Amino acid sequence: MLTGVKIQFFSYKYKSILYFCGMIRLWIYILLGVLGLSSCINQPENTNIPNKRVSFLIDTSLSGSDNMLHDCNYGMTKIYTKDKPAKLSMQGSYGVCGVIVVRTIDNYLCAFDLCCPYEAKSEYPLQQKGNGDFFLRCPACGSQFEVGNGTGRLNKGPATQPLKWYRVEQRGGERYYVHN
């Protein structure tokens, strides 16, 4: 009879330990989830770039007007401005200096404003040497930014902030909506 009591006591103690470990595991998952979500929000709060509306559609299908951004065309870019609008959105909005859309080396579409965070003027849009170049350079201050990896991070220059990015959402098939 005494052995049965010991087994019940150890069984209860074992269940308590399992419950405690489960709760710790739950809190770890919650903490990792919060950290993971906060790492996706990399837009600086104190950017010098004025807030201007960005809203346009692109078609990356092989027969679409933006086919250079088609799936698996890693490193390809296309610049959209008021003078070079997206064909699907002739009345679109293109930020301060325009928007560059990049098919990253990870095969995602990312979009960045062409305004340098240091200059913050529409007279000096960022430039790239050629299509497929992973870097944008400010002609006024010389700051250089990396866009091929989808971060828009600063590589060099007097600028201290990364590029301002915009959302790219898939809207059926190979059409995407670029917006802020």
Side-chain angles (χ1 to χ4, degrees), residues 136-148:
L136 296 175
R137 188 178 166 280
C138 177
C141 70
S143 295
Q144 187 174 357
F145 304 89
E146 185 175 356
V147 293

Side-chain angles (χ1 to χ4, degrees), residues 29-178:
Y29 288 146
I30 290 171
L31 180 63
L32 289 175
V34 168
L35 290 175
L37 287 175
S38 66
S39 68
C40 294
I41 305 169
N42 60 358
Q43 184 70 25
E45 291 295 322
N46 58 351
T47 182
N48 297 332
I49 300 173
N51 283 329
K52 292 252 182 151
R53 181 174 162 82
V54 171
S55 176
F56 60 95
L57 285 170
I58 59 174
D59 182 3
T60 64
S61 65
L62 287 176
S63 61
S65 57
D66 308 299
N67 60 1
M68 75 284 306
L69 296 171
H70 184 69
D71 194 25
C72 297
N73 282 346
Y74 312 117
M76 297 305 286
T77 61
K78 187 165 183 183
I79 293 175
Y80 301 92
T81 64
K82 292 176 198 166
D83 299 331
K84 297 185 217 171
K87 300 285 188 226
L88 294 178
S89 303
M90 296 306 272
Q91 299 299 320
S93 303
Y94 302 98
V96 178
C97 294
V99 176
I100 184 168
V101 178
V102 180
R103 174 67 71 178
T104 67
I105 53 178
D106 295 332
N107 204 25
Y108 293 103
L109 285 177
C110 294
F112 301 98
D113 202 299
L114 288 173
C115 186
C116 176
Y118 184 75
E119 296 295 329
K121 296 178 184 171
S122 61
E123 298 87 36
Y124 305 113
L126 298 173
Q127 300 171 351
Q128 67 181 149
K129 290 182 181 175
N131 197 3
D133 186 15
F134 287 143
F135 299 96
L136 296 175
R137 188 178 166 280
C138 177
C141 70
S143 295
Q144 187 174 357
F145 304 89
E146 185 175 356
V147 293
N149 60 6
T151 62
R153 77 178 177 92
L154 174 69
N155 276 0
K156 71 171 189 173
T160 58
Q161 301 168 340
L163 293 178
K164 185 174 190 172
W165 58 270
Y166 299 110
R167 292 178 180 89
V168 180
E169 295 177 0
Q170 191 168 9
R171 291 285 170 99
E174 297 182 46
R175 289 187 177 195
Y176 294 87
Y177 177 49
V178 182

Side-chain angles (χ1 to χ4, degrees), residues 13-26:
K13 191 173 186 180
Y14 179 70
K15 286 180 183 177
S16 297
I17 291 172
L18 284 179
Y19 176 77
F20 181 71
C21 290
M23 290 303 293
I24 289 176
R25 187 178 309 147
L26 176 67

